[in-house]
């Protein structure tokens, strides 16, 4: 009996140790990332997650588009200089100057949380951690999973507009282009597919789908991208007619645009992916079966999202003595 108990205990220790090693690997080695820790602010600022969640919740209650904006903010920040809040820096020729980033929303939510945290815990919590936590909370308050994520990121001091385009996904990208870009960030093909599920919430400007249509001689749009459902295409044409204001947006998910669920993948199965890069996931043989699996199993999507989101928020993080803890997210100290 004692021998059996010893064997069981040994197996448990091995399993726990292996899990710990996996977590350390995921948290500390993604695309050059340093070491992050769960409950990093346990002693220095124990209320950090409450403050961030309150900022996200209060802002979203008055503007339902906030969760989608916060997710987009995270992606555009992490993919350029790593998850270091470089996108938050204002000024000439910063990342915000790129046309793809001029419509980035959610900055005010991060600034709100930072202001409150500076009153509670001066120069303690980084803007980079606030962005990651806010995006995590954006998913949770719209029906998605609440994911424990480690913290300890520090803020970068470099933000250059020329670094943006080579490092973000364009909606016209092919599968190979997306795979290549994601691989440079330490993200796999599965991560690419799962993180694309962020398009289950949020909206896009009409200009981002312009390539799927052609303007006729009578000033109307007609569908030229045959990978798109024709009825859905007609709906998009009505929402985004020729001459539409540049500020007009269309929901990423035409069915449940305010709910974080697996509807995005069901839309793909019905040829209702908003962007060409969405439709590519269904067309390509490397991902079609995975699209089907995620469309049929929301729990699988949520579990997969948790793993991929952890990797996303660990891209190129600055820790320890790297970077700084900004006083204001829009400017270096």
């Amino acid at each position: 009996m004692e021998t059996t108990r010893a064997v069981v205990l040994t197996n448990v220790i091995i399993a726990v140790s292996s899990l710990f090693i996996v977590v350390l690997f995921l948290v500390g080695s993604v695309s050059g990332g340093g070491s992050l820790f769960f409950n990093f602010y346990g002693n220095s600022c124990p209320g950090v997650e409450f403050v961030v969640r309150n900022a996200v919740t209060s802002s979203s209650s008055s503007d339902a588009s906030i969760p989608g904006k916060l997710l987009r903010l995270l992606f555009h920040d992490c993919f350029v200089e790593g998850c270091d809040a470089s996108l938050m820096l204002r000024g000439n020729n910063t990342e915000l100057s790129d046309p793809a980033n001029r419509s980035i929303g959610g900055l005010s939510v991060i600034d709100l949380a930072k202001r409150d945290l500076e009153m509670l815990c001066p120069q303690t919590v980084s803007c980079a951690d606030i962005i990651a936590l806010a995006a995590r909370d954006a998913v949770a308050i719209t029906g998605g999973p609440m994911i424990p994520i480690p913290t300890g990121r520090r803020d970068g001091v470099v933000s250059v507009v020329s670094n943006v385009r080579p490092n973000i996904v364009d909606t016209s990208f092919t599968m190979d282009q997306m795979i290549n870009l994601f691989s440079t960030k330490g993200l796999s093909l599965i991560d690419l597919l799962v993180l694309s599920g962020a398009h289950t919430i949020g909206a896009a400007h009409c200009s981002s789908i312009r390539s799927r249509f052609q303007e006729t001689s009578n000033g109307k749009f007609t569908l030229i991208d045959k990978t798109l459902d024709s009825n859905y295409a007609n709906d998009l044409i009505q929402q985004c007619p020729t001459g539409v204001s540049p500020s007009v947006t269309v929901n990423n998910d035409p069915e449940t645009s305010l709910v974080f669920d697996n509807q995005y993948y069901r839309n793909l199965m019905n040829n209702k992916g908003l962007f060409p890069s969405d439709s590519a996931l269904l067309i390509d043989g490397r991902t079609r079966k995975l699209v089907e699996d995620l469309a049929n199993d929301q729990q699988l999507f949520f579990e997969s999202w948790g793993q991929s989101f952890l990797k996303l928020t660990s891209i190129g993080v600055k820790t320890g003595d790297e970077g700084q803890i900004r006083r204001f997210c829009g400017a270096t100290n």
Side-chain angles (χ1 to χ4, degrees):
M1 178 66 71
E2 291 299 321
T3 301
T4 301
R5 287 183 62 196
V7 171
V8 170
L9 181 59
T10 300
N11 289 338
V12 169
I13 292 173
I14 292 172
V16 171
S17 299
S18 299
L19 177 61
F20 181 69
I21 291 171
V22 169
V23 169
L24 283 181
F25 174 78
L26 288 175
V27 170
S29 64
V30 178
S31 194
S35 296
L36 303 176
F37 301 94
F38 292 96
N39 201 32
F40 179 84
Y41 298 107
N43 294 321
S44 60
C45 194
V48 57
E49 296 202 15
F50 173 80
V51 171
V52 173
R53 189 171 304 121
N54 184 62
V56 172
T57 302
S58 60
S59 299
S60 300
S61 65
S62 58
D63 181 356
S65 70
I66 286 295
K69 290 176 178 176
L70 289 172
L71 266 184
R72 184 169 180 246
L73 169 60
L74 175 73
F75 274 86
H76 280 235
D77 180 53
C78 291
F79 264 57
V80 180
E81 292 287 345
C83 303
D84 68 348
S86 56
L87 181 54
M88 294 286 296
L89 292 173
R90 277 72 158 184
N92 295 328
N93 297 316
T94 61
E95 292 173 31
L96 279 175
S97 303
D98 187 273
N101 287 335
R102 289 175 189 162
S103 60
I104 288 285
L107 302 178
S108 61
V109 181
I110 309 302
D111 288 334
L112 172 61
K114 178 63 171 175
R115 184 198 67 192
D116 291 345
L117 287 167
E118 282 300 302
M119 289 190 289
L120 290 173
C121 323
Q123 283 231 254
T124 301
V125 181
S126 68
C127 302
D129 273 340
I130 296 172
I131 291 173
L133 289 169
R136 182 274 303 272
D137 292 340
V139 169
I141 68 170
T142 52
M146 171 57 81
I147 306 161
I149 62 171
T151 43
R153 299 165 189 78
R154 288 172 65 85
D155 299 322
V157 297
V158 175
S159 182
V160 182
V161 66
S162 60
N163 290 339
V164 175
R165 286 292 159 167
N167 286 290
I168 62 172
V169 174
D170 188 271
T171 57
S172 64
F173 269 15
T174 64
M175 274 297 299
D176 286 339
Q177 288 174 309
M178 290 191 288
I179 290 171
N180 290 339
L181 179 58
F182 270 64
S183 67
T184 66
K185 311 302 175 186
L187 300 174
S188 68
L189 176 65
I190 292 177
D191 295 322
L192 162 59
L193 178 63
V194 171
L195 292 172
S196 294
H199 288 167
T200 189
I201 58 175
H205 287 88
C206 289
S207 58
S208 64
I209 58 171
R210 176 69 176 80
S211 65
R212 311 195 86 167
F213 304 94
Q214 184 178 62
E215 187 173 354
T216 63
S217 57
N218 62 356
K220 304 290 185 180
F221 279 138
T222 184
L223 178 65
I224 57 174
D225 186 341
K226 301 306 180 183
T227 63
L228 198 62
D229 176 79
S230 59
N231 291 326
Y232 179 48
N234 289 333
D235 291 340
L236 292 176
I237 290 173
Q238 290 183 9
Q239 296 176 69
C240 300
T242 57
V244 69
S245 169
S247 64
V248 173
T249 60
V250 59
N251 291 329
N252 291 338
D253 177 351
E255 304 297 334
T256 58
S257 62
L258 299 179
V259 180
F260 192 94
D261 54 18
N262 69 332
Q263 181 64 46
Y264 168 77
Y265 300 101
R266 294 199 291 270
N267 292 340
L268 293 186
M269 294 299 297
N270 292 319
N271 296 311
K272 293 182 179 181
L274 181 62
F275 307 120
S277 55
D278 291 325
S279 298
L281 299 175
L282 179 66
I283 298 170
D284 195 284
R286 291 168 288 187
T287 47
R288 182 181 178 91
K289 179 60 168 62
L290 294 171
V291 169
E292 294 175 356
D293 291 342
L294 294 172
N296 292 325
D297 191 339
Q298 180 162 284
Q299 187 58 36
L300 174 63
F301 171 48
F302 282 1
E303 292 172 357
S304 301
W305 174 266
Q307 297 170 25
S308 294
F309 187 80
L310 180 62
K311 293 174 68 175
L312 169 66
T313 54
S314 301
I315 295 174
V317 295
K318 296 167 178 61
T319 60
D321 295 328
E322 299 175 294
Q324 60 183 212
I325 304 297
R326 295 183 207 147
R327 295 182 181 88
F328 304 96
C329 291
T332 57
N333 296 339

